[in-house]
Structures are given as structure tokens and as C-alpha cells.
């Protein structure tokens, strides 16, 4: 009898005929995980928005036209009053609403001289009390 060590299993050959191994082993290789990359996406990030805050001492208002988001969405108004005319009179004479005048006041840095009454609200002599 001759014993052969093939693949770690002894095999015995007797009389020229091969005998079946005494035991068998099944080896299962691990399956590698399937990795998929995410699909690229286009992301739109809006530009930053400039927000102008009222300076200290300016009366806060709950009016919709006093909200920074609305003020900043308004187009810039170039104000060119005639001699002796206030910016508020100029805006009123050209048909701008009080809300537009308020936005122009805010966009111009809340100048104190736009509030003739000194109460922190602009253009009241031209448009009347609005708060």
C-alpha cells in the first residue's frame, strides 16, 4: 500500500485501484461586496443675500413692507430730488407707494432726515402715518 498526501487528504492505492478519500471538505470562498458609486447630482446653491438691519433706535414694525426679505427684493431707486424737495416728496410725486418709499429708506441706510417727526418712520409728512 502506498499513501499519497494530495491536498492534505491521504489516499491509499492498493492493487492499482484508487480508493475514495475517507472524508471530504467543502470550502466556500467569501463573496466580495458589490460597491456602487452614487450618481453625480447637480446642486444649485443660491448666492448669499445681503440683509440690512435697522439701526438701534429705529422703531420696529410688523408691517409686511418692513421685512428685510421684502426690502432686499425691491429694485434700487435712484432718488434725485429737486432743490428744496425731500427724498420723500420726490418719491411721492413720482407715484411710489409708501412701501416702496420705506424700502428706499432702508436701502439707503435709514437716514434720520427722512423722518421729519423723528419717530423712526420715514416719509410721514408726504404719505401720512403708516404704522
Amino acid at each position: 500500500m502506498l499513501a499519497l498526501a494530495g491536498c492534505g487528504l491521504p489516499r491509499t492505492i492498493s492493487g492499482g485501484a484508487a480508493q475514495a478519500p475517507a472524508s471530504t471538505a467543502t470550502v466556500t470562498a467569501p463573496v466580495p461586496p458589490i460597491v456602487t458609486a452614487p450618481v453625480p447630482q447637480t446642486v444649485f446653491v443660491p448666492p448669499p443675500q445681503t440683509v440690512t438691519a435697522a439701526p438701534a433706535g429705529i422703531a420696529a414694525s410688523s408691517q409686511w413692507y418692513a421685512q428685510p426679505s421684502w426690502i432686499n427684493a425691491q429694485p434700487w431707486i435712484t432718488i434725485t430730488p429737486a432743490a428744496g424737495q425731500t427724498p420723500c416728496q420726490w418719491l411721492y410725486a413720482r407715484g411710489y407707494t409708501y412701501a416702496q418709499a420705506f424700502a428706499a429708506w432702508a436701502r439707503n441706510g435709514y437716514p434720520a432726515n427722512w423722518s421729519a417727526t423723528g419717530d423712526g418712520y420715514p416719509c410721514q409728512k408726504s404719505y401720512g402715518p403708516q404704522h
Side-chain angles (χ1 to χ4, degrees), residues 57-60 98 102 105 112 114-125 128-131:
I58 300 298
Y98 181 77
F102 190 96
W105 173 65
W114 286 37
S115 177
T117 59
D119 64 354
Y121 291 97
C123 303
Q124 290 178 325
K125 286 195 173 183
Q130 299 290 319
H131 53 84

Side-chain angles (χ1 to χ4, degrees), residues 84-113:
Q85 187 180 37
T86 68
C88 295
Q89 291 168 338
W90 185 89
L91 289 162
Y92 184 79
R94 279 159 184 74
Y96 288 98
T97 66
Y98 181 77
Q100 291 169 314
F102 190 96
W105 173 65
R107 303 274 313 257
N108 278 283
Y110 302 96
N113 65 340

Side-chain angles (χ1 to χ4, degrees), residues 4 8-9 19 21-22 33 35-36 46 59 69 76 79 82-83 86 88 91 93-95 100 102 104 111-112 118 121:
L4 297 174
L9 297 174
Q19 290 183 348
V35 178
T36 57
S69 60
W76 183 266
I79 301 168
T86 68
C88 295
L91 289 162
R94 279 159 184 74
Q100 291 169 314
F102 190 96
Y121 291 97

